Amino acid sequence: MENRRRRSSGAWQAVRTLRKYRVFYLLMLPGILYYIVFKYVPMYGIIIAFQDFSVGRGIFGSKFVGIKHFIEFFHYTPDSWKLIRNTVMLNVYDLLFHFPAPIALALLFHEIRNKAFKRFVQSVSYMPHFLSTVVIAGIIVMFLSPTTGIVNFILVKLFGMEPVMFLGMPEWFRTIYIGSEIWQKVGWGTILYLAAIAGVDPTLYEAAKMDGANRFQQMRHVTFVGMIPVMIILFVLNLGQFMEVGFQKILLLYNPMNYETSDVINTFVYRRGILDADFSFATAVGLFQSVIGFVLVVIANRLARKYSETSLW
Amino acid sequence: MKIKESWGSRLFDACNAVLMVMLAAAMLYPMVFVLSASISDNAKVVSGQVLLWPKSLSLAAYERLVFNPDLWISYWNTIRYTTVHTALTLMATAAMAYPLAKNGCRDEGTCC
């Protein structure tokens, strides 16, 4: 009995749990190792954001310069404010249009009566998800070409207008970007929401019908409400990506003619940081983006926890 | 007792069906167009005559592609990356998910 009392302290309990469930911890080891080695250990590299890093001298040989790179980024005005504006605007449009699209589509899918038709439309809508960004950008460039593109062909032949050079006009870029994002991702995005809809208790529908709800009221008060937890989680996750707007597609679709709206923080950093090999600058800007994304996620999660039962943590 | 559907509900169904057909067309059209354009004669594509169906079938584009050795090297690399990546990811995440799923339960054997 003396033994058991001595070994009830916290540290001993932890060791005992580890030994008792050692199989489970062993199972988790590869995943945990992956996170430690690839996500946490490289964090020491953030130091190069505060140095004048040169590959030859390494981290310990490079000079420490404090926040010089951050100041340089913000004093690149007026361009840096244009970059931030473009990044934020693309994200706002993304949240405004791209985020609700799978929700609406899932609701509409749920209302299709004919099973075969429903399955056909769903399968077709999943297809664009599997095309890679490069292929989509290629399709966009081909469709929007002022001489050989299908869009301009219709405009000229059917409506008698002049061919429009869509990819050369800054005002069209956001539409093209968000439109292609929606086209590619709306089908696949409905999967999660359809799973949430399927998880709604059927007795809720019956109760609503008893209370006299018609089809649209049922949709609004039962189906939609059942999707809210998934919406909150995905929204919070989306906010974490706020500053990292889809770099690949922008890189493929932008050109000096539409830099006005298409140049975002990441593309600028790509030109300065990778092409000019200015690693410290690129890291500094990347750090700035990550911090903002992190703050947004924490705030959003706080709000989600306060006003609903669902939150990320 | 057959419940009569309101006309609003039937109108919604009709609009939904039309919308779904348009959606399916919008999703399918670019891919069908790219397929048609790839088997058509190049001049017809450039002049904008290929809208949906291929015109003047010619496999010249595919010939150039197949006889280019770079393509096969890239393909082989893609297959290697994908297979190894999928296998390792599946094993690691499944192994990690099982203990995490048991996290909320008291005893080893049972799980809620």
Side-chain angles (χ1 to χ4, degrees):
Chain A
M1 300 304 125
E2 274 295 317
N3 265 351
R4 197 170 294 162
R5 227 173 286 146
R6 214 179 344 129
R7 298 205 162 186
S8 278
S9 67
W12 273 115
Q13 282 218 329
V15 176
R16 262 176 50 219
T17 326
L18 224 78
R19 276 189 59 199
K20 183 174 170 198
Y21 297 112
R22 62 182 175 278
V23 175
F24 296 132
Y25 286 106
L26 267 174
L27 272 180
M28 289 181 60
L29 198 62
I32 297 182
L33 268 181
Y34 165 81
Y35 278 103
I36 294 179
V37 169
F38 289 106
K39 308 282 179 185
Y40 282 92
V41 166
M43 279 192 186
Y44 79 90
I46 290 182
I47 191 83
I48 72 175
F50 301 99
Q51 293 177 329
D52 264 338
F53 182 72
S54 113
V55 185
R57 283 194 290 251
I59 289 189
F60 291 107
S62 301
K63 199 178 88 173
F64 185 81
V65 289
I67 56 174
K68 162 180 155 198
H69 296 291
F70 295 94
I71 297 179
E72 186 184 336
F73 175 62
F74 285 110
H75 273 88
Y76 197 73
T77 49
D79 280 358
S80 60
W81 294 110
K82 184 182 76 174
L83 293 175
I84 296 178
R85 181 203 71 194
N86 286 342
T87 315
V88 169
M89 283 310 290
L90 274 176
N91 261 301
V92 165
Y93 276 39
D94 191 80
L95 284 174
L96 263 181
F97 297 111
H98 175 213
F99 184 74
I103 300 173
L105 194 60
L107 280 171
L108 290 178
F109 276 166
H110 181 67
E111 297 290 329
I112 301 180
R113 299 295 168 81
N114 187 335
K115 291 260 161 66
F117 182 56
K118 176 176 171 183
R119 252 178 310 156
F120 169 72
V121 178
Q122 275 184 295
S123 307
V124 166
S125 74
Y126 298 157
M127 279 164 62
H129 165 85
F130 296 106
L131 299 174
S132 73
T133 317
V134 181
V135 172
I136 305 258
I139 294 181
I140 293 178
V141 168
M142 202 167 68
F143 270 39
L144 294 178
S145 153
T147 43
T148 64
I150 193 85
V151 178
N152 278 311
F153 178 75
I154 293 181
L155 281 181
V156 169
K157 289 295 168 65
L158 278 178
F159 297 109
M161 296 163 50
E162 289 294 307
V164 179
M165 198 167 171
F166 290 101
L167 282 174
M169 301 165 65
E171 52 267 23
W172 275 103
F173 184 78
R174 289 187 190 131
T175 314
I176 296 175
Y177 178 78
I178 299 291
S180 56
E181 284 282 289
I182 295 181
W183 180 80
Q184 192 184 6
K185 301 193 175 150
V186 73
W188 191 257
T190 61
I191 292 185
L192 216 54
Y193 291 113
L194 283 173
I197 293 181
V200 168
D201 191 357
T203 57
L204 283 174
Y205 286 109
E206 283 178 25
K209 265 186 252 188
M210 285 299 131
D211 286 341
N214 66 21
R215 197 171 159 196
F216 305 105
Q217 286 168 324
Q218 281 176 43
M219 196 158 58
R220 202 179 119 212
H221 292 281
V222 182
T223 318
F224 184 74
V225 171
M227 288 202 291
I228 288 185
V230 179
M231 276 167 58
I232 294 180
I233 292 190
L234 285 179
F235 187 74
V236 175
L237 284 177
N238 248 313
L239 275 186
Q241 306 280 322
F242 195 72
M243 281 299 197
E244 315 265 332
V245 83
F247 168 65
Q248 260 193 46
K249 191 182 287 189
I250 298 183
L251 197 66
L252 291 165
L253 287 177
Y254 85 159
N255 54 62
M257 282 190 284
N258 58 24
Y259 270 3
E260 190 58 34
T261 47
S262 67
D263 205 8
V264 290
I265 299 182
N266 271 337
T267 48
F268 168 71
V269 167
Y270 171 72
R271 291 198 302 274
R272 273 289 298 273
I274 309 290
L275 296 180
D276 292 348
D278 195 350
F279 297 129
S280 294
F281 186 74
T283 315
V285 178
L287 182 62
F288 164 69
Q289 287 177 299
S290 305
V291 166
I292 296 206
F294 179 69
V295 167
L296 280 173
V297 168
V298 169
I299 292 180
N301 194 65
R302 230 4 122 63
L303 288 173
R305 216 164 4 143
K306 189 168 170 200
Y307 291 112
S308 78
E309 296 124 27
T310 339
S311 59
L312 263 187
W313 67 82
Chain B
M1 180 184 88
K2 185 166 188 262
I3 301 177
K4 203 170 74 144
E5 265 189 55
S6 70
W7 67 270
S9 175
R10 269 179 293 171
L11 180 68
F12 176 77
D13 273 335
C15 291
N16 198 16
V18 169
L19 194 69
M20 288 299 132
V21 169
M22 280 170 37
L23 183 86
M27 300 276 171
L28 278 178
Y29 176 67
M31 292 187 252
V32 169
F33 175 75
V34 169
L35 182 68
S36 305
S38 69
I39 20 179
S40 302
D41 178 33
N42 197 31
K44 290 263 164 70
V45 177
V46 165
S47 66
Q49 287 181 36
V50 175
L51 284 181
L52 183 63
W53 303 118
K55 294 205 166 74
S56 328
L57 290 177
S58 103
L59 290 175
Y62 285 104
E63 266 183 58
R64 267 180 59 194
L65 198 62
V66 166
F67 289 126
N68 184 356
D70 287 338
L71 174 81
W72 297 105
I73 299 177
S74 304
Y75 232 148
W76 174 231
N77 282 333
T78 307
I79 294 179
R80 281 198 302 185
Y81 279 127
T82 312
T83 336
V84 177
H85 175 256
T86 311
L88 286 180
T89 303
L90 212 56
M91 289 195 289
T93 48
M96 196 164 172
Y98 179 64
L100 281 178
K102 296 175 89 58
N103 200 20
C105 313
R106 274 197 59 232
D107 301 313
E108 285 181 44
T110 65
C111 202
C112 8

XYZ file of all heavy atoms in Angstrom, chain A residues 228-229 232-233 300-312:
136
model
N -24.204 24.301 -39.866
C -23.463 25.405 -39.251
C -22.160 24.968 -38.589
O -21.135 25.646 -38.749
C -24.371 26.177 -38.268
C -25.375 26.968 -39.073
C -23.563 27.096 -37.392
C -26.248 27.870 -38.256
N -22.097 23.841 -37.857
C -20.795 23.478 -37.257
C -19.691 23.311 -38.291
O -18.580 23.819 -38.103
C -21.098 22.149 -36.554
C -22.537 22.183 -36.275
C -23.159 22.934 -37.403
N -18.572 26.715 -39.562
C -17.716 27.471 -38.660
C -16.286 26.959 -38.720
O -15.326 27.731 -38.818
C -18.262 27.388 -37.220
C -19.601 28.103 -37.143
C -17.279 27.967 -36.238
C -20.208 28.076 -35.792
N -16.144 25.641 -38.680
C -14.790 25.079 -38.686
C -14.063 25.439 -39.968
O -12.907 25.873 -39.952
C -14.847 23.559 -38.488
C -15.334 23.244 -37.088
C -13.503 22.923 -38.750
C -15.203 21.816 -36.710
N -10.876 34.343 -34.549
C -12.068 33.667 -35.074
C -12.472 32.506 -34.180
O -13.657 32.283 -33.927
C -11.804 33.180 -36.493
N -11.481 31.763 -33.686
C -11.821 30.636 -32.822
C -12.418 31.104 -31.511
O -13.346 30.499 -30.978
C -10.576 29.793 -32.561
C -10.923 28.468 -31.966
O -11.569 27.664 -32.604
N -10.552 28.251 -30.726
N -11.871 32.201 -30.960
C -12.423 32.786 -29.743
C -13.898 33.129 -29.942
O -14.752 32.809 -29.132
C -11.679 34.045 -29.462
C -11.058 34.468 -28.208
C -11.021 33.607 -27.018
N -9.646 33.382 -26.612
C -8.849 34.350 -26.218
N -9.250 35.598 -26.167
N -7.604 34.062 -25.887
N -14.170 33.819 -31.071
C -15.545 34.213 -31.367
C -16.432 32.991 -31.546
O -17.552 32.948 -31.055
C -15.594 35.080 -32.629
C -15.057 36.484 -32.491
C -15.011 37.161 -33.847
C -15.929 37.279 -31.549
N -15.906 31.980 -32.252
C -16.709 30.778 -32.487
C -17.019 30.096 -31.159
O -18.136 29.634 -30.941
C -15.961 29.826 -33.407
N -16.030 30.076 -30.274
C -16.267 29.409 -29.003
C -17.281 30.171 -28.169
O -18.085 29.603 -27.451
C -14.958 29.298 -28.217
C -14.922 27.986 -27.467
C -13.582 27.596 -26.978
N -12.526 28.536 -27.195
C -11.566 28.729 -26.319
N -11.571 28.068 -25.201
N -10.611 29.585 -26.569
N -17.245 31.522 -28.324
C -18.136 32.319 -27.496
C -19.572 32.224 -27.981
O -20.500 32.144 -27.181
C -17.664 33.777 -27.553
C -18.340 34.673 -26.589
C -17.595 36.014 -26.508
C -18.420 37.004 -25.726
N -18.030 38.387 -25.980
N -19.785 32.233 -29.308
C -21.139 32.360 -29.820
C -21.733 31.072 -30.346
O -22.855 31.050 -30.795
C -21.187 33.419 -30.924
C -20.962 34.799 -30.387
C -19.809 35.503 -30.697
C -21.883 35.386 -29.551
C -19.601 36.759 -30.183
C -21.680 36.642 -29.034
C -20.541 37.328 -29.350
O -20.325 38.564 -28.850
N -20.980 29.977 -30.354
C -21.583 28.737 -30.827
C -20.942 27.595 -30.073
O -20.030 27.791 -29.278
C -21.363 28.569 -32.324
O -20.054 28.142 -32.557
N -21.423 26.373 -30.333
C -20.839 25.233 -29.622
C -19.684 24.623 -30.377
O -19.064 23.695 -29.906
C -21.901 24.149 -29.410
C -23.037 24.569 -28.534
C -24.352 24.388 -29.266
O -24.412 23.510 -30.151
O -25.288 25.116 -28.956
N -19.422 25.147 -31.592
C -18.358 24.536 -32.379
C -17.172 25.462 -32.453
O -17.308 26.658 -32.631
C -18.801 24.315 -33.836
O -20.193 24.298 -33.878
C -18.216 23.066 -34.385
N -15.994 24.895 -32.312
C -14.797 25.699 -32.530
C -13.665 24.731 -32.821
O -13.790 23.544 -32.598
C -14.503 26.558 -31.317
O -14.316 25.731 -30.195
N -12.550 25.279 -33.298
C -11.439 24.399 -33.640
C -10.784 23.815 -32.392
O -10.332 22.692 -32.387
C -10.382 25.150 -34.450
C -10.473 24.993 -35.964
C -9.277 25.643 -36.616
C -10.495 23.538 -36.336
